[in-house]
Structure formats: structure tokens, C-alpha cells
């Protein structure tokens, strides 16, 4: 699985003219299933009528919700509704006669398949792809207006675009009513109504009261009178509460404003369990979940003489608009780093969660190994996903998946964020690779592991590609670096081996992982390209994915993903008294030996591989043999290693 709207998570180094073709062919020349397209003609027609009524000649539809979320609830998937494209990253821009979609390299193939002829695909990171403002400047004329819902666009994006559009005398206009909401009147999913419950200190390692105390210390150091907490994972982490308003994420819709002496929580109080209400105590003011109410209260705080309101520069422009310029403290969230650096209790929980998830994946691959030779047509991507879920659900404190399982056989494995559905559901056989990227939510941690397997005889090319991906993953896992280093400087370590043989991949190499929170967590990342203003160095206590890959459109896909934890490195020297960091693997699903070309592996790489592969059966880990009736799985694991 590839980070937070790590918007720039992906930069593309390889272009592929193959993507412009709608048909995709498998290894044997057969036409592979293609994702279904949505006819967007009527939707665009209705939207343009609303645009005309609003007096705007173009309209921007971001993929996020009012919390700037990467993963959004079905109710807020406006960009998906208007375009048919279901990827997690992408912005739609509609004029009176054109519709364009900007997305990154993870989704080029998927977007090509899902969007109909009304849409132009804008491939972020590829040479010649214009920025949205640049494209709008060419499509519109002087005096035109571009509309946007300012609760859905970040401060930086709004200000950058406004500045660029001013040059050709085009205005960026705040539209009070979301125009997609105005036309999405049939079949729109309702808002979630799941309960909100407390997460005990045996999982969190720290009370919410202590977290608030630390936050207020930061406020005092920065002379802030208030902090606005708008990101859903930060809300959940700060209050030690969890919910289920967003699929695969234990989040609930709420905003928090922390003052020197008060705490306002804007939330649907009816969803709080009795335990949650007792957990919060009288120190918190519960107010209705309403963005307008939040903005009104922020404006009221902003008129106070001594007000200094701390707001992350990555929040929505609507929140900034509510604060007078002289009362604004634009600074990175004081919660992001403490949330990402796990405490000892969280570290123990994350390791245990990965153990449980890896056990389920091991059972799954053992089951597949025995089922594939039977040749059943009922053994498909979708039935495999269902079976994997069964194994996971047997584990303690399992709370569901952390993202929809990616299970791509053969050509479907080349669609980086592929999810099987009826129209694309391939039988799993022994004649190609099977890529399975799966994560879980446990009360003690979040997981994300990918393995690619082959139950027959791999081709020499498949083995070479798999091995070079593996070598890249090991190179990154063995890296030693100063604790001042940001992840983008580590990205080339994973790609070096692949570049040497003319291979690459269109996604980042790693993302942070939350503790029973988001599977994509900042402020760290490992990805190429320009630095992100929110990006921070990787330091001990952070959990990170290590996931290089390789994809041949219409043929096969390979990705290997192991969860690693940043730990202090043991070095003979400490230049300039700087602490050095390395990675410790915390997920131990075996690698597929029939896909490894050991002739191009180094002794150091083989040694790392053996150490990681032996992690599961060691006495330090709860091995599968200890589960009743699982002796055969354990014996296979030992034999396979």
C-alpha cells in the first residue's frame, strides 16, 4: 500500500504511451478485464447549469472533505461522483466545455479505465502536464471566474491558484453552496451513524488529559490562545476516542478547539457511547458538529485583543478566512509529530498488531498454495479477499481492514491501487503473479503488508523484476542515516538497484503508519520529488512502510511491502553528536522463494532475508503452531524458510 494526502507522494519518472489505450492485454495476449466507466454526460450538464447560475466559468472539485482527509466517507466523494474515477487522489476541474482530472502515477491506468470520453487525464509529474491554474488560464478569458468550495481547498492551494489566476485577470471565487451537492440528489450515501467509543490507556499509553497538557505547553511556548484541530486522525488521537464514520479508518467527524482553559468539541453527541461521555468528563464542551458554527466561534475568538489562533497552514482556506491576519499563528500542527512518534505502549501494540496480521496472511498463503492446484474457477481475486478476511477476523481485537484489500492477479496486479470487483474478477491460477496488498485495524495497531506470489513457474523476467524489487526493499531496510534526514533523500536507495536494470515505479517508497489510526500518516514519508512543507525527518519511534514495486501494464505487477520501525543505529562514530537512525522490520510474512533469483542477491541481502523470514517461527513471536489445528501451517512456514 502506498501517504496522507501525501499529495506529492508520487512523482513520475517514466511515461508510458501505452496508457492511452483503453484495451489491456495479458501475458498470453488475451484481453484482460477493464474497470467499468460511468457515463458522466448528464452529471456534467447539470453541474454546468449550476455553474452558469453561480456566475462561474469553471469549477474545481477536490477529492478531500472539510477535514482535508485523504480517505473520505462515501457521502463526501464528490469528485468520484462527477467523474466516475474512484482513486483516493485527484482534483477535477470543469469548464463550460471541458473536464480535466489531475492525478498521480498510482492512478494513471485506473483513471484511463474508469473515466469516460468527457474527461481529459492530466498526469501529475509527467513532462508537459500543465498545472491547474496554467490550464485554466488558457481555457478561460479575462474577467472569468473560477468557483471552489473553500472548505475543501487548502490555504496553500487556494492562495497559489488565486495568485496565478490574477495574472490573466481571472478571479478565484468562493462558492457558498457546493455545486456537486446541489446536483447529487439521488443515491447519495448518508453520513455515517456509527458509535464513538473510548480507547483505553492499555492501548494508548497516555491519557487524553496528559496529551492536552502537552498541547497547552506548546501553546504557551508559542503565545497561542487557541489551537484548531481539524484532521480526523488528530482528533481521534488527542481524545483517545475511535469511531467508524470513514470506511477502513477508525475516525469520527469532529473538530476540536483547545483554549487555555476550555476545550470545544464539535461532534454529534448522540453517537457517543455512555463510556465515551464518561471518558471525556466535564472538562469538554460538546457542541453540534457544524462547520458554520465552528467558523462563527473562531471569528468570535478572533476579535479578542489578546487572541492568537494556531492554525496549520495545510487546513482549509475557510478556516483561515475566519481569523483576522494579525490574530493568526500559521504553524504546523503541534499534534502531528507526537502522534507519529509512538510511545512504548504504542510500539508494543504496533508490533503485536503486525504479528497478528502476519499470522493471518501466512494462513492465507498456505490456503492458497493448496487451493490453486485444484484449478477451481471459483478461486478468484474476490473469493481470495473474502477468505483473507476470515483469517484476519480470528485474531484478537480485530476491527476491520485499514484499506480495501488490493488483490490483483496477472494484468490486474499492474493497476497499482486495484480493487477487484465483479467486472474485473480474475481466477487465481498458477500461470502468473498474484499481488496481495492488505492492511488491518486492531485496537493495538494498524498494519499494511504486501506480498507477490506465483504458484507456478515464473518467467525469467518476473523473477528478475521481483528480485530487484526485493533488493531495493532490503537496501532501504538496511539504511543508516542521520536523524535530520527527510525521507525523500532515502528514496533513491530503494530505486538504485531497479534503475540499474531500467526499471522503476510510479509511487512513493514509503509512508508513515498510525496506531489504530490512518494507514497513511505524516509528517514523514519516503518519496521522490520536491520537499513538502509539512515533511519532517524520520526519527526513532516512527513506523514506516518500505514498499518498492514494478508494474507492466496489462501483464503483471510486483510490490513488496514490509513495515519497519525507525530505531537508533549503532555506529562507531557520532559525527557532530548527531544521532543515527536505521530500521527494524516488524512484519515477517515470508518472501516467495520461487520468485527470487539468488544469483543476483548479495550475502548481506540473503542474511537479512533469512533473519526476517525466521522472525515468525522464533520463540520471541507467537507463532501459528500455538493456534489449535495450525500445525500444518507452521510446518510449511519452517520448510518454506
Amino acid at each position: 500500500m502506498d501517504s496522507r494526502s501525501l499529495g506529492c507522494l508520487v512523482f513520475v519518472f517514466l511515461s508510458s504511451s501505452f496508457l492511452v489505450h483503453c484495451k489491456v492485454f495479458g501475458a498470453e495476449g488475451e484481453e484482460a478485464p477493464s474497470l467499468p466507466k460511468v457515463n458522466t454526460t448528464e452529471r456534467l450538464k447539470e453541474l454546468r447549469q449550476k455553474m452558469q447560475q453561480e456566475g462561474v466559468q469553471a469549477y474545481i472539485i477536490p477529492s478531500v472533505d472539510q477535514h482535508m482527509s485523504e480517505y473520505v466517507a462515501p457521502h463526501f466523494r464528490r469528485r468520484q461522483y462527477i467523474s466516475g474515477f474512484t482513486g483516493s487522489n485527484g482534483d477535477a476541474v470543469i469548464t463550460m466545455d471541458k473536464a480535466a482530472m489531475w492525478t498521480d502515477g498510482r492512478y494513471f491506468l485506473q483513471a484511463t479505465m474508469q473515466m469516460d470520453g468527457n474527461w481529459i487525464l492530466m498526469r501529475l509529474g509527467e513532462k508537459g502536464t500543465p498545472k491547474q491554474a496554467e490550464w485554466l488560464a488558457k481555457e478561460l478569458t479575462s474577467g472569468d471566474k473560477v468557483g471552489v468550495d473553500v472548505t475543501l481547498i487548502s490555504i496553500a492551494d487556494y492562495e497559489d491558484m488565486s495568485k496565478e489566476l490574477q495574472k490573466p485577470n481571472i478571479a478565484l471565487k468562493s462558492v457558498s453552496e457546493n455545486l456537486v451537492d446541489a446536483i447529487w440528489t439521488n443515491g447519495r450515501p448518508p453520513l455515517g451513524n456509527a458509535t464513538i467509543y473510548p480507547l483505553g490507556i492499555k492501548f494508548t499509553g497516555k491519557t487524553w488529559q496528559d496529551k492536552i497538557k502537552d498541547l497547552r505547553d506548546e501553546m504557551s511556548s508559542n503565545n497561542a490562545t487557541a489551537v484548531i484541530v481539524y484532521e480526523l486522525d488528530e482528533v481521534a488521537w488527542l481524545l483517545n476516542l475511535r469511531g467508524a464514520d470513514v470506511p477502513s479508518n477508525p475516525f469520527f467527524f469532529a473538530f476540536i478547539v483547545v483554549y487555555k482553559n476550555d476545550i470545544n468539541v464539535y461532534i454529534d453527541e448522540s453517537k457517543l457511547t455512555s463510556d465515551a461521555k464518561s471518558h471525556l468528563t466535564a472538562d469538554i464542551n460538546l457542541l453540534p458538529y457544524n462547520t458554520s458554527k465552528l467558523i462563527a466561534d473562531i471569528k468570535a475568538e478572533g476579535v479578542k485583543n489578546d487572541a492568537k489562533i494556531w492554525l496549520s497552514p495545510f487546513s482549509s482556506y475557510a478556516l483561515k478566512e475566519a481569523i483576522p491576519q494579525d490574530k493568526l499563528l500559521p504553524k504546523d500542527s503541534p499534534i502531528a509529530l507526537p502522534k507519529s512518534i509512538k510511545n512504548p505502549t504504542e510500539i508494543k501494540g504496533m508490533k503485536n498488531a503486525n504479528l497478528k496480521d502476519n499470522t493471518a496472511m501466512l494462513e492465507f498463503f498456505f490456503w492458497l498454495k493448496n487451493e490453486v492446484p485444484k484449478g477451481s474457477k471459483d478461486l478468484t481475486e474476490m473469493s481470495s479477499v473474502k477468505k483473507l478476511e476470515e483469517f484476519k477476523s480470528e485474531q484478537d481485537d480485530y476491527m476491520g481492514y485499514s484499506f480495501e484489500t488490493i488483490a490483483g492477479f496477472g494484468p490486474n496486479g499492474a493497476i497499482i491501487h486495484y480493487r477487484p470487483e465483479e467486472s474485473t474478477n480474475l481466477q487465481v491460477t498458477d500461470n502468473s503473479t498474484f499481488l496481495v496488498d492488505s492492511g488491518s485495524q486492531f485496537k493495538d495497531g494498524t498494519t499494511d503488508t504486501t506480498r507477490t506470489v506465483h504458484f507456478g513457474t515464473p518467467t525469467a523476467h518476473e523473477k528478475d523484476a521481483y528480485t530487484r524489487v526485493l533488493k531495493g526493499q532490503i537496501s532501504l531496510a538496511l539504511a543508516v542515516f542521520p536523524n535530520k534526514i527527510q525521507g525523500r533523500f532515502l528514496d533513491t536507495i530503494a530505486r538504485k538497484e531497479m534503475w540499474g536494470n531500467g526499471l522503476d515505479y510510479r509511487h512513493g517508497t514509503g509512508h508513515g503508519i498510525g496506531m489504530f489510526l490512518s494507514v497513511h500518516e505524516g509528517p514523514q514519508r519516503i518519496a521522490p520529488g520536491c520537499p513538502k512543507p509539512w515533511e519532517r525527518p524520520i526519527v526513532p519511534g516512527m513506523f514506516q512502510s518500505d514498499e518498492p514495486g514494478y508494474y507492466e501494464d496489462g501483464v503483471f505487477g510486483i510490490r513488496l511491502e514490509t513495515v519497519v520501525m525507525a530505531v537508533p543505529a549503532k555506529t562507531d562514530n557520532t559525527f557532530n553528536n548527531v544521532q543515527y537512525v536505521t530500521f527494524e522490520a516488524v512484519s515477517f510474512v515470508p518472501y516467495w522463494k520461487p520468485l527470487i533469483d539468488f544469483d543476483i542477491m548479495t550475502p548481506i541481502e540473503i542474511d537479512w532475508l533469512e533473519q526476517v523470514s525466521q522472525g515468525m517461527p522464533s520463540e520471541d513471536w507467537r507463532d501459528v503452531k500455538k493456534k489449535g489445528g495450525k500445525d500444518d501451517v507452521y510446518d510449511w512456514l519452517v520448510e518454506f524458510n
Side-chain angles (χ1 to χ4, degrees), residues 60-65 76 78-79 90-92 148-149 152-153:
I60 301 169
I61 306 171
S63 63
V64 299
D65 60 17
F76 294 120
R78 301 173 175 98
R79 189 225 59 217
D91 290 337
V148 67
D149 180 343
L152 306 179
I153 187 169

Side-chain angles (χ1 to χ4, degrees), residues 394-428:
E394 295 174 1
Q395 297 294 328
D396 294 339
D397 292 320
Y398 178 67
M399 303 299 288
Y401 49 74
S402 58
F403 57 92
E404 290 184 62
T405 298
I406 299 167
F409 179 78
N412 285 342
I415 305 172
I416 296 172
H417 273 199
Y418 169 79
R419 269 80 173 183
E421 50 188 273
E422 289 292 348
S423 63
T424 63
N425 191 27
L426 289 177
Q427 179 185 350
V428 179

